[in-house]
């Protein structure tokens, strides 16, 4: 089996391995980590499997070049180990950038809730990106992203969340990068929510800055649908993207 086949096998086997861990008897509002760049502090209930996936279309301009691309998958699997702890597996996406099709790679990780009150919550999210990507996403080293995820209530139906953290590659001499993602969310109705936010990714080279917005719809007690859009607002590169997805609790 060649390396590309091995990567594809990992992407196909991981979802079934996680989903078969346990059935769910969870109730209540879904705490999804999509849409948007950031993660919330909420963890999946013990014994629950939650799948989150989506698709995205984008258009980008850099210097005099203009192109379109698409991403299909964005699959994240979450399993509740305890009330304060979940395990996570990112199956990744197929990135379609004509004439090439590339794979974004897999990841594993966890989320640990550090503190919670009636008005706020704080968790730490750790993600290890595995060297399973292809094309532009190919990497020979594992990298770890460690971030704090906070959410606080500002008023009835209004909340402010933020992610702050760093990404560090293992081995080699690559420098760490940093992220900061503040998001304002608000309830439109009992079933519809909305958000606007900023996402910044900072390195010793060119930084990446985005503004984003989206809507969520709780279509059933165990399913949330979403639409999202955003702009990359850098001097060296501009990009627009729009996507849709869902989160489902099994």
């Amino acid at each position: 089996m060649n390396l590309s086949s091995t990567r594809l096998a990992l992407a196909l086997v991981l979802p079934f391995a996680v989903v078969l861990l346990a059935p769910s008897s969870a109730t209540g509002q879904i705490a999804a980590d999509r849409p948007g760049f950031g993660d919330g502090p909420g963890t999946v209930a013990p014994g629950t499997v939650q799948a989150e996936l989506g698709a995205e279309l984008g258009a980008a301009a850099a210097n005099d070049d203009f192109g379109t691309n698409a991403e299909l998958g964005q699959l994240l699997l979450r399993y509740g180990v305890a009330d304060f702890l979940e395990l996570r597996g990112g199956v990744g996406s197929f990135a379609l950038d004509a004439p090439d099709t590339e794979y974004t790679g897999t990841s594993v990780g966890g989320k640990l809730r550090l503190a919670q009150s009636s008005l706020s919550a704080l968790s730490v999210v750790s993600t290890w990106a595995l060297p399973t990507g292809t094309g532009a996403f190919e990497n020979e080293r594992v990298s770890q992203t460690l971030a704090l995820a906070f959410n606080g209530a500002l008023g009835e139906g209004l909340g402010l969340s933020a992610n702050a953290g760093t990404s560090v590659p293992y081995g080699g001499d690559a420098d760490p990068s940093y992220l900061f993602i503040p998001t304002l969310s608000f309830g439109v109705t009992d079933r519809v929510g909305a958000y606007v936010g900023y996402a910044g990714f900072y390195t010793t080279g060119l930084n990446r800055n985005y503004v984003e917005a989206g809507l969520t719809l709780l279509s059933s007690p165990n399913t949330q649908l979403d639409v999202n859009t955003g702009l990359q607002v850098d001097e060296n590169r501009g990009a627009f993207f729009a996507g849709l997805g869902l989160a489902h609790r099994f």
Side-chain angles (χ1 to χ4, degrees):
M1 180 180 291
N2 60 35
L3 186 57
S4 297
S5 298
T6 302
R7 289 169 175 165
L8 183 58
L10 282 172
L12 296 176
V13 170
L14 184 58
F16 298 102
V18 175
V19 170
L20 289 174
L21 283 173
S24 170
S25 57
T27 59
Q29 186 81 1
I30 290 180
D33 279 343
R34 66 161 296 121
F37 286 100
D39 293 323
T43 55
V44 173
T48 299
V49 174
Q50 185 164 302
E52 305 177 10
L53 70 158
E56 181 181 292
L57 293 174
N63 299 321
D64 294 327
D65 296 327
F66 178 83
T68 59
N69 56 76
E71 190 173 301
L72 178 62
Q74 301 179 339
L75 180 55
L76 174 67
L77 299 168
R78 304 167 61 188
Y79 174 69
V81 178
D83 183 57
F84 56 87
L85 175 66
E86 70 174 46
L87 299 179
R88 302 155 65 86
V91 181
S93 302
F94 289 101
L96 312 176
D97 190 1
D100 300 319
T101 299
E102 301 169 340
Y103 179 56
T104 61
T106 53
S107 64
V108 294
K111 183 189 294 187
L112 175 67
R113 189 170 67 240
L114 302 176
Q116 185 174 22
S117 71
S118 59
L119 296 177
S120 63
L122 177 67
S123 294
V124 60
V125 184
S126 182
T127 304
W128 288 268
L130 305 179
T132 53
T134 63
F137 304 95
E138 187 171 358
N139 200 322
E140 296 180 354
R141 297 183 177 90
V142 174
S143 63
Q144 182 184 10
T145 299
L146 192 65
L148 290 173
F150 170 81
N151 184 68
L154 299 178
E156 185 175 356
L158 184 65
L160 176 66
S161 62
N163 285 186
T166 183
S167 181
V168 180
Y170 291 126
D173 54 0
D175 294 320
S177 59
Y178 304 91
L179 64 89
F180 177 59
I181 307 171
T183 304
L184 184 67
S185 59
F186 48 95
V188 180
T189 69
D190 291 340
R191 298 170 58 200
V192 178
Y195 76 93
V196 293
Y198 161 81
F201 303 90
Y202 315 109
T203 68
T204 55
L206 295 174
N207 299 328
R208 291 177 294 134
N209 300 273
Y210 301 87
V211 291
E212 57 174 342
L215 293 169
T216 61
L217 168 65
L218 191 65
S219 61
S220 75
N222 289 312
T223 304
Q224 176 179 283
L225 307 178
D226 66 72
V227 294
N228 62 90
T229 187
L231 292 171
Q232 183 175 358
V233 288
D234 295 325
E235 291 184 0
N236 62 298
R237 186 176 189 271
F240 167 81
F241 61 87
L244 51 84
L246 67 86
H248 183 75
R249 182 170 53 198
F250 295 94

